[in-house]
Amino acid sequence: MASEAEERDGFTTTVKLAGSGFSENIPFKERAFLQILSPNEKIHCIELRRGDMVFGRSPGCDVRFVVENVSRKHARVFFQNEEFILEDLDSTNGLFVNGIKILRCALRNNDQIALGGVKLLFKEEKIP
């Protein structure tokens, strides 16, 4: 039997979706961090938070790298639309993700980041 909308227009755009099983696939929590890749040291991790985090050489930065090729305020990471975004803050030596110079990009698991002489690895975990 056709609904009122189908009888009037000849078609309907309303579809009823089954609710069971849908919410079980959504992760409860996410955790993201940057691993500092250094051949001479043990692995250091920086856990990312939902607000802005500024990376640079300046003492006022959230994450400070005292490295000559890192600008005073080199880059920032922030959370927007359910993903972490990396943005260059007009640095002198640029910001690279997977070998490509970027101004701004969404980070994905295992992205390799280079700022100045610092190499980082973006890691994201979904915790049920």
Side-chain angles (χ1 to χ4, degrees):
M1 177 163 207
S3 70
E4 232 178 89
E6 287 174 318
E7 288 176 5
R8 186 182 65 234
D9 300 331
F11 63 92
T12 181
T13 57
T14 305
V15 177
K16 185 174 181 178
L17 298 175
S20 65
F22 179 73
S23 62
E24 288 92 25
N25 297 329
I26 298 173
F28 178 73
K29 187 177 179 186
E30 288 184 39
R31 181 176 159 225
F33 55 94
L34 294 172
Q35 282 183 351
I36 301 171
L37 304 176
S38 174
N40 301 329
E41 296 180 25
K42 64 181 183 177
I43 295 174
H44 293 284
C45 292
I46 302 163
E47 188 154 0
L48 299 177
R49 58 180 187 257
R50 300 291 172 151
D52 282 14
M53 291 182 74
V54 176
F55 297 80
R57 205 177 63 232
S58 172
C61 290
D62 298 303
V63 179
R64 187 173 181 211
F65 296 112
V66 187
V67 177
E68 193 174 302
N69 293 334
V70 174
S71 295
R72 284 185 205 87
K73 288 189 176 179
H74 201 107
R76 77 177 179 128
V77 174
F78 58 97
F79 192 76
Q80 181 180 42
N81 297 330
E82 300 301 317
E83 57 191 3
F84 284 95
I85 309 293
L86 178 65
E87 180 177 54
D88 190 323
L89 297 177
D90 200 26
S91 64
T92 303
N93 294 309
L95 183 62
F96 297 82
V97 174
N98 299 325
I100 300 168
K101 188 173 184 176
I102 62 104
L103 295 177
R104 186 180 199 181
C105 80
L107 292 172
R108 301 289 177 246
N109 195 34
N110 292 319
D111 275 349
Q112 295 180 17
I113 301 163
L115 57 139
V118 179
K119 304 240 186 275
L120 307 164
L121 182 66
F122 177 74
K123 299 295 281 181
E124 193 171 34
E125 296 175 348
K126 301 198 187 312
I127 304 166

